[in-house]
Amino acid sequence: VEYLGNLVQANPDSVNSRFYKYVGWFARILLGGSIEHFENHKVLPGVLEHYETSLRDPMFYQLYKRIVQWYWEFKDHLKPYTKEELAFGGLKFDAVTVDKLVTYFDRSDADITNAVDVEVFDESTMKAGELKKFGKIAHYQGEDFVIKARQWRLNHMPFSVEYNVYAEKDVKGVVRMYLGPKYDQYGHVYGVNENRENFVLLDTFEWEFKQGSNVFVRESTQFPMYVQDRTPYFELYKWVMDAYNGKRQFPLDMTEAHCGFPSCLMLPKGKKGGMPFQLYFIVSPYHAPAVPHHEGYDYTLNCGVASGARYIDSLPFGYPFDRPIDEKVWFTPNMYYLDATIYHKKEAEINAVH
């Protein structure tokens, strides 16, 4: 799969990349419909050619679904996992329970003061407040206000997952949690193999299982691949000034993840009366990765791409859905399917309940 990735992206590790270049980059130029540009410092005219704005173009999703399909075509050439590769001897799921899954739309405010030009501050006629110098651009000094942009976006109520796993002996394992659809567009129940490409990894973590019954709870706020909103600049500024003036103590660690999937978009919208999904859980034996997890890079500074330190174990990404499924050997005691329903509520209903 590394050879395939190098070939598609024409990485320096790829062979003969000068003959085919980066297919995604050329596709963006062709599909964006923009004129050819010859100067390095001119602004690109196409929405699709800007990585910051390409998600706004519907063509982006068709293009990347095609690129991702090459990955699935490659995986289809591999043999299905055997029962021995899927099973975890001496360990089985007794039960898994999940809180009610509820989504809603809420207001999101973004601080854009630094991006907006303001009037010149005249000390003779205006009183200086705590925001006096906040948001100054070039020779301007900020007026005494903060400018925020508000938009509606999808969010969800926090939820917890309770695991009940029985182990015959003390052993270390890796738990994976996936979310996928239950029915296709015609209302028919998906088959196990045809549905494997639709599952999304929600959570993965190590756990030391003790002999006997193991009951533990995992909160949605602990899922490692999702990140919260960044703290606005002005909030950081107020923290520093309050700490300087002795009003409150400044926390020694305010680090935030540099990149990750927005936590508010973890769950699909669902429906008012409930939309059926299914959760899939599997516990696998721990296989130590070649590079220890989070070693050699700081997740608060960069994404760790190509470092190898992002992986919790050495199993392939998407395991065990990454290969065709042989249903004759698929179902093992260390797997668990759970029907789940996602409800979408209005903001007023959420506030009434909570």
Side-chain angles (χ1 to χ4, degrees):
V1 73
E2 290 184 7
Y3 287 107
L4 175 64
N6 291 335
L7 188 149
V8 171
Q9 288 206 292
N11 291 334
D13 295 332
S14 181
V15 180
N16 294 332
S17 61
R18 65 191 185 94
F19 290 124
Y20 42 79
K21 301 297 182 184
Y22 176 22
V23 63
W25 181 60
F26 279 103
R28 284 169 178 268
I29 295 175
L30 293 172
L31 296 175
S34 60
I35 60 172
E36 187 173 1
H37 40 274
F38 298 98
E39 295 191 22
N40 293 333
H41 303 292
K42 282 192 174 181
V43 177
L44 302 178
V47 173
L48 195 61
E49 291 177 69
H50 287 279
Y51 288 94
E52 306 89 347
T53 59
S54 58
L55 294 180
R56 303 177 192 174
D57 193 327
M59 182 58 73
F60 169 88
Y61 300 94
Q62 299 182 43
L63 167 63
Y64 275 79
K65 186 175 179 64
R66 175 63 62 88
I67 293 177
V68 171
Q69 189 60 35
W70 297 336
Y71 164 83
W72 289 114
E73 289 178 12
F74 163 72
K75 285 288 187 175
D76 285 341
H77 284 83
L78 304 179
K79 294 181 180 179
Y81 288 111
T82 63
K83 196 174 188 69
E84 291 71 24
E85 291 174 316
L86 294 170
F88 192 171
L91 189 143
K92 67 174 183 177
F93 274 102
D94 285 335
V96 179
T97 55
V98 180
D99 289 343
K100 188 175 182 179
L101 304 177
V102 180
T103 66
Y104 60 95
F105 283 105
D106 68 349
R107 298 178 182 89
S108 172
D109 292 343
D111 189 343
I112 61 170
T113 314
N114 275 357
V116 179
D117 217 347
V118 293
E119 299 276 338
V120 177
F121 184 82
D122 186 355
E123 293 188 2
S124 62
T125 59
M126 302 178 185
K127 290 185 178 181
E130 64 169 327
L131 305 180
K132 170 178 176 262
K133 295 183 178 180
F134 178 71
K136 66 178 182 179
I137 298 177
H139 59 284
Y140 291 114
Q141 290 181 325
E143 193 68 72
D144 200 3
F145 57 79
V146 171
I147 305 173
K148 294 184 178 181
R150 173 170 291 177
Q151 62 180 348
W152 289 92
R153 70 174 183 188
L154 186 66
N155 206 339
H156 65 87
M157 297 298 299
F159 61 92
S160 59
V161 183
E162 182 179 287
Y163 293 87
N164 190 334
V165 182
Y166 178 82
E168 294 182 357
K169 60 181 179 179
D170 292 358
V171 67
K172 183 177 182 179
V174 176
V175 183
R176 285 176 167 83
M177 173 185 177
Y178 288 87
L179 173 69
K182 186 173 179 63
Y183 301 100
D184 63 14
Q185 65 269 37
Y186 304 111
H188 302 147
V189 177
Y190 263 120
V192 174
N193 185 56
E194 64 176 335
N195 198 22
R196 68 186 179 90
E197 297 181 14
N198 300 323
F199 276 88
V200 176
L201 183 64
L202 289 185
D203 189 19
T204 176
F205 60 96
E206 303 173 23
W207 195 262
E208 298 283 353
F209 293 94
K210 304 299 182 183
Q211 184 177 5
S213 180
N214 295 263
V215 180
F216 52 95
V217 176
R218 184 83 170 170
E219 302 291 341
S220 61
T221 52
Q222 296 176 282
F223 294 179
M225 292 160 291
Y226 298 88
V227 296
Q228 304 296 327
D229 292 339
R230 286 174 174 262
T231 304
Y233 172 75
F234 179 60
E235 290 299 319
L236 290 174
Y237 172 77
K238 287 182 67 176
W239 269 103
V240 173
M241 296 309 298
D242 286 348
Y244 178 77
N245 295 323
K247 293 182 179 180
R248 56 176 168 172
Q249 189 173 1
F250 189 82
L252 294 179
D253 185 2
M254 289 190 71
T255 55
E256 297 175 338
H258 181 76
C259 61
F261 197 79
S263 177
C264 60
L265 302 178
M266 180 188 300
L267 297 179
K269 179 184 172 184
K271 295 181 179 178
K272 183 174 183 179
M275 186 173 182
F277 286 84
Q278 54 184 339
L279 295 168
Y280 171 83
F281 305 88
I282 182 172
V283 182
S284 310
Y286 176 74
H287 302 278
V291 180
H293 198 212
H294 286 164
E295 182 180 283
Y297 90 100
D298 186 348
Y299 73 96
T300 64
L301 297 178
N302 58 48
C303 300
V305 175
S307 67
R310 303 176 67 188
Y311 304 107
I312 199 167
D313 61 7
S314 60
L315 291 175
F317 180 75
Y319 171 89
F321 291 114
D322 61 314
R323 293 191 185 187
I325 295 173
D326 182 358
E327 296 189 28
K328 297 189 297 294
V329 301
W330 172 254
F331 299 97
T332 55
N334 60 313
M335 295 182 185
Y336 195 90
Y337 278 95
L338 178 67
D339 287 344
T341 304
I342 299 180
Y343 298 88
H344 182 74
K345 303 295 183 183
K346 293 182 178 179
E347 190 181 29
E349 296 175 297
I350 296 292
N351 292 333
V353 175
H354 301 273

